[in-house]
Structure formats: C-alpha cells, structure tokens
Amino acid sequence: MTILEDVNVAAVVGIAANVCGVNVGPVAAAVLGEATAVDASGRDRTICESAATGEPLTITQN
C-alpha cells in the first residue's frame, strides 16, 4: 500500500518515526540515511514494522 508519493527526503524522517512508533531523535539519522540511499539508488529499504499494524514500512523511490 502506498501512503505518500513525491515526499521530500527530509520529511520521510518524521513520517517514518510516526508510523514506526518511535521518537524522531534516536532514529532520525538512521532513517534519513536510509531515505537518502533509496533516493540515490532507487533500491527499496524496509525501515521498521508499523507500530499499529505490524506491517513493514518500506521506502521506495518512485
């Protein structure tokens, strides 16, 4: 399921932290690094499992 498209890489940090159910501070650098890698390479990356559903949160370059 696609949640968002055409999102700024920096915005992904807050969105991912919210979906993953974690504070932005401890994971911001890791999520930003993963999102930047996806943006540069086009390869999908799974960041975490959703706190609400247990489904994986995957960042994909569109």
Side-chain angles (χ1 to χ4, degrees):
M1 167 193 336
T2 300
I3 297 174
L4 298 168
E5 290 185 15
D6 301 324
V7 178
N8 180 291
V9 171
V12 170
V13 174
I15 295 164
N18 190 334
V19 171
C20 295
V22 296
N23 293 328
V24 173
V27 298
V31 172
L32 183 57
E34 293 292 327
T36 301
V38 169
D39 194 40
S41 71
R43 294 177 44 192
D44 297 353
R45 302 278 168 107
T46 298
I47 302 299
C48 69
E49 292 181 355
S50 167
T53 66
E55 296 292 321
L57 173 65
T58 303
I59 298 175
T60 303
Q61 171 66 291
N62 60 346

